């Protein structure tokens, strides 16, 4: 069973930084992954797309609310993708989910993704 494992969450004060990491289990053939995404969700609200990367050409996508503050990167040797989050705000507080997709579709649509992590909490205090 494919698993995506997130790490790097936690609590930080407003203006601080965190780096989220996402690594797939060995059962996922990463060469078949065409894109990765990060979503976030707070209780009672729909899951929101935060950022995505299209591995075919390296194109990145960001929600307007995080553009300029969040940045994708990846380490192919470690088979890990990262989301660097700077200038964090209390509104960024949420459970963050890593996702991987094997096929096309809108980067911001959760249904485009085939595999999901369990989620990791990010809390930003004012």
């Amino acid at each position: 069973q494919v698993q995506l494992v997130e790490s790097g969450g936690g609590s930080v004060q407003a203006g601080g930084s965190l780096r989220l990491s996402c690594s797939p289990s060995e059962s996922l053939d990463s060469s078949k992954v065409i894109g990765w995404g990060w979503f976030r969700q707070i209780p009672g609200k729909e899951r929101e797309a935060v950022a995505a990367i299209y591995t075919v050409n390296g194109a990145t996508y960001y929600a307007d609310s995080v553009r300029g503050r969040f940045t994708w990167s990846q380490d192919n040797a470690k088979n890990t993708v990262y989301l660097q989050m700077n200038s964090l705000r209390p509104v960024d507080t949420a459970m963050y989910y890593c996702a991987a997709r094997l096929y096309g579709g809108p980067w911001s649509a959760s249904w485009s993704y085939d595999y999901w992590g369990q989620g990791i909490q990010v809390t930003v205090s004012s």
Side-chain angles (χ1 to χ4, degrees), residues 22-82:
C22 176
S23 299
S25 60
E26 292 182 357
S27 57
L28 175 62
D29 182 352
S30 295
S31 67
K32 296 183 178 179
V33 175
I34 70 165
W36 298 88
W38 283 99
F39 288 71
R40 66 188 181 187
Q41 188 171 24
I42 60 175
K45 293 206 172 181
E46 291 187 0
R47 195 166 289 190
E48 171 193 24
V50 175
I53 186 167
Y54 188 47
T55 56
V56 173
N57 58 9
T60 54
Y61 306 89
Y62 299 96
D64 290 343
S65 59
V66 307
R67 187 176 292 111
R69 301 188 295 122
F70 291 11
T71 306
W72 267 108
S73 64
Q74 57 188 74
D75 186 332
N76 292 329
K78 295 183 178 180
N79 202 24
T80 300
V81 294
Y82 304 95

Side-chain angles (χ1 to χ4, degrees), residues 100-111:
R101 60 178 177 147
L102 309 181
Y103 307 101
W107 73 268
S108 60
S110 59
W111 55 260

Side-chain angles (χ1 to χ4, degrees), residues 6-21:
E6 302 111 331
S7 62
S11 297
V12 65
Q13 288 191 329
S17 298
L18 288 171
R19 189 177 74 162
L20 302 182
S21 303

